[in-house]
Amino acid sequence: MDKILIIGACGQLGTELTLKLRELKGTENVIASDLLDEPVELLSGGPYEKLNILNKESFQIILEEHNITQVYHLAAVLSAKGEQNPHFAWQLNMDSLLTVLEAGKDKLQKIYWPSSIAVFGPDTPKENTPQNTIMSPNTVYGISKLAGERWCEYYHEKYGVDVRSLRYPGLIGYKALPGGGTTDYAVDIFHKAIAGEKYDCFLSENSMLPMMYMDDAVKATIELMETAPENVKVRSSYNLSAMSFSPKEIAEEIKKHYPNFEITYHPDFRQKIADSWPGSIDDSAARNNWGWQHSHGLTELVEVMIENLKETIVFD
Ligand code: VAH
């Protein structure tokens, strides 16, 4: 029986991945962990451990106490926050990954670690960005994710560690808020529109970025982790894609539901980050190697987000 530890379980992706894994594997077999004293409400129905993954001893104790066989290591400082605290972002993103990879040598059967389209940079081909191409990230987050991909492939080839990874686009869900990313506008915009408020976007209207509905990201993650090892032909990290849109395009789609919704654009420091990333991604390797298929495009995304958020947000 798999015993899974999720590090960073209370984050935007972690919350949803924990819920889905508990549904599939049994609540008691999925231990959530994060820096908080108590888990977020949505995760309060299952086992939780307070964990600072930079504390190696605490991590080892949890592995032993729960007989953990798999780790999903999601804790990281994202792109925008990383630029405000570069050295800490590098320390957390890198030291924690190496701690988990070391455990993969003799204690863990499988490891999942998320990468990002942030590994690409200004010199990368912008459209239909290939799996293997020029990678010149110019954010600490992107640099740490590129270095992390190299470490993952190194530990697999040198020590046989079964570590698997996906280069996520911007992730959009309604169960948990994002924290410190450049694509967070694509979640914020729904909360404003549904509350009847104007949204002031921190990116310019034509900033085209790869995006994905959270359920698709969770599905891809679990499918990658569950597929047979021989199907995992990329041990750095797989490109993953569903759709691309600009702030103007998602605003237009939202206006089909909220005709009076207004958006303004005041780009801030995150515009330079967004400009360094691709506009669209070629994920044919994931589709060919382990059968990846996305299910939500922009129309379906807007419908499902509004359907679920309007129950919880009061319209002014
Ligand atoms: C960020 N949401 O904005 C993350 C993600 C592709 C973007 O890695 O930093």
Side-chain angles (χ1 to χ4, degrees):
M1 173 59 75
D2 296 332
K3 284 295 287 274
I4 299 172
L5 173 66
I6 300 179
I7 302 169
C10 297
Q12 182 200 20
L13 170 64
T15 300
E16 303 225 29
L17 199 51
T18 302
L19 290 170
K20 178 55 79 177
L21 283 167
R22 283 179 171 172
E23 190 185 305
L24 296 173
K25 303 283 187 176
T27 298
E28 293 314 306
N29 296 315
V30 182
I31 292 82
S33 73
D34 213 309
L35 285 172
L36 305 173
D37 290 334
E38 296 299 328
V40 292
E41 179 58 34
L42 278 174
L43 302 185
S44 58
Y48 176 80
E49 293 281 359
K50 178 175 180 177
L51 171 64
N52 177 342
I53 184 53
L54 291 176
N55 183 326
K56 295 180 185 174
E57 294 69 34
S58 305
F59 173 60
Q60 295 300 338
I61 289 168
I62 290 172
L63 292 187
E64 283 148 29
E65 281 185 353
H66 293 276
N67 300 309
I68 298 295
T69 60
Q70 293 184 19
V71 168
Y72 285 67
H73 175 30
L74 310 179
V77 177
L78 298 184
S79 59
K81 270 198 182 150
E83 291 309 293
Q84 291 157 353
N85 198 342
H87 291 278
F88 175 70
W90 174 259
Q91 180 197 11
L92 174 63
N93 295 4
M94 290 320 318
D95 291 357
S96 65
L97 173 60
L98 291 170
T99 297
V100 174
L101 288 172
E102 273 297 300
K105 286 161 76 172
D106 56 0
K107 294 188 176 68
L108 301 174
Q109 293 170 11
K110 251 184 244 182
I111 295 168
Y112 178 75
W113 176 77
S115 184
S116 160
I117 62 158
V119 296
F120 301 118
D123 304 327
T124 303
K126 284 253 181 256
E127 295 314 318
N128 216 26
T129 300
Q131 176 67 44
N132 299 307
T133 184
I134 299 162
M135 301 170 87
S136 54
N138 59 7
T139 63
V140 174
Y141 174 66
I143 293 164
S144 73
K145 287 300 183 182
L146 179 52
E149 290 187 5
R150 300 286 93 233
W151 276 116
C152 288
E153 190 175 88
Y154 179 89
Y155 268 78
H156 176 72
E157 289 182 1
K158 192 173 176 75
Y159 305 115
V161 173
D162 188 353
V163 52
R164 307 179 187 195
S165 179
L166 296 169
R167 290 171 182 160
Y168 291 129
L171 300 185
I172 301 157
Y174 58 85
K175 293 178 184 170
L177 290 173
T182 300
T183 58
D184 295 3
Y185 90 86
V187 175
D188 303 345
I189 191 169
F190 285 102
H191 289 260
K192 291 291 186 191
I194 295 167
E197 297 169 17
K198 183 189 297 188
Y199 181 56
D200 188 30
C201 184
F202 56 73
L203 295 183
S204 63
E205 62 181 342
N206 296 318
S207 300
M208 185 70 72
L209 287 172
M211 298 281 189
M212 181 175 288
Y213 176 47
M214 183 60 77
D215 285 13
D216 269 342
V218 168
K219 180 176 81 149
T221 306
I222 294 172
E223 284 176 356
L224 174 62
M225 285 295 274
E226 295 294 309
T227 196
E230 57 269 22
N231 297 336
V232 186
K233 299 180 179 4
V234 173
R235 290 290 180 167
S236 50
S237 189
Y238 275 98
N239 279 5
L240 193 73
S241 175
M243 65 186 103
S244 294
F245 57 74
S246 65
K248 184 177 181 182
E249 288 172 323
I250 190 171
E252 291 306 315
E253 194 65 29
I254 289 171
K255 284 178 187 169
K256 293 177 184 172
H257 302 261
Y258 293 90
N260 298 326
F261 172 59
E262 289 179 58
I263 184 169
T264 52
Y265 302 95
H266 291 95
D268 66 11
F269 73 98
R270 288 166 284 195
Q271 186 63 50
K272 181 171 176 286
I273 298 173
D275 291 344
S276 73
W277 290 349
S280 61
I281 298 286
D282 171 5
D283 63 356
S284 50
R287 292 174 191 264
N288 297 334
N289 290 178
W290 43 275
W292 161 241
Q293 286 286 347
H294 73 279
S295 62
H296 284 65
L298 180 56
T299 302
E300 298 82 6
L301 169 75
V302 170
E303 287 169 353
V304 72
M305 287 292 285
I306 290 172
E307 189 58 35
N308 286 279
L309 280 175
K310 71 183 182 186
E311 304 304 321
T312 57
I313 295 173
V314 176
F315 190 97
D316 285 349

